[in-house]
C-alpha cells in the first residue's frame, strides 16, 4: 500500500562539523544557529498492506514494565537498607 506524507527538510551544521547535512522530519522545526528550514515535500512511501503494530506495542510495553520493576526493586532495596541502618543504631535513653 502506498501512503503519501509531507516531510520537512532542514539543513543542520553543528559547530564541530566541517559540513552540514540535510535532515528530514515529520514536523517543521524552528530555525536555530545550527539548523535551518529548507522546504517541504510530499512523498509517497510503500508500507505493508497488512501492517499490524500490536506486536511491537506489546514488546515496548513489556520493556517499559521490566524497567519499572527494576527501578521499583532498587528503590525498595534502598529503603530496606536505610531501615536496617536505623534499626542497627543503639538506642540509649
Amino acid at each position: 500500500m502506498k501512503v503519501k506524507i509531507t516531510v520537512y527538510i532542514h539543513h543542520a551544521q553543528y559547530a564541530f562539523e566541517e559540513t552540514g547535512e540535510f535532515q528530514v522530519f515529520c514536523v517543521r522545526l524552528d530555525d536555530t544557529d545550527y539548523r535551518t528550514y529548507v522546504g517541504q515535500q510530499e512523498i509517497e512511501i510503500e508500507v505493508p498492506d497488512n501492517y499490524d503494530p500490536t506486536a511491537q506495542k506489546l514488546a515496548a510495553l513489556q520493556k517499559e514494565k521490566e524497567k519499572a520493576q527494576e527501578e521499583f526493586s532498587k528503590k525498595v532495596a534502598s529503603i530496606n537498607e536505610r531501615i536496617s541502618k536505623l534499626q542497627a543504631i543503639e538506642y540509649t535513653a
Side-chain angles (χ1 to χ4, degrees), residues 7 42 62 67-68 72-73:
V7 295
E42 188 173 279
Q62 184 64 33
K67 181 181 176 185
F72 175 76
S73 294

Side-chain angles (χ1 to χ4, degrees), residues 56-74:
Q56 289 168 277
K57 289 179 178 183
L58 287 171
L61 285 171
Q62 184 64 33
K63 187 175 179 180
E64 185 179 343
K65 176 183 163 187
E66 289 168 4
K67 181 181 176 185
Q69 287 175 323
E70 182 179 326
E71 290 171 356
F72 175 76
S73 294
K74 287 180 180 178

Side-chain angles (χ1 to χ4, degrees), residues 34-75:
Y34 61 89
R35 182 184 55 237
T36 56
Y37 174 71
V38 176
Q40 72 182 43
Q41 185 174 351
E42 188 173 279
I43 63 170
E44 190 172 86
I45 59 172
E46 185 73 33
V47 295
D49 288 331
N50 59 349
Y51 177 71
D52 182 3
T54 305
Q56 289 168 277
K57 289 179 178 183
L58 287 171
L61 285 171
Q62 184 64 33
K63 187 175 179 180
E64 185 179 343
K65 176 183 163 187
E66 289 168 4
K67 181 181 176 185
Q69 287 175 323
E70 182 179 326
E71 290 171 356
F72 175 76
S73 294
K74 287 180 180 178
K75 183 69 174 178

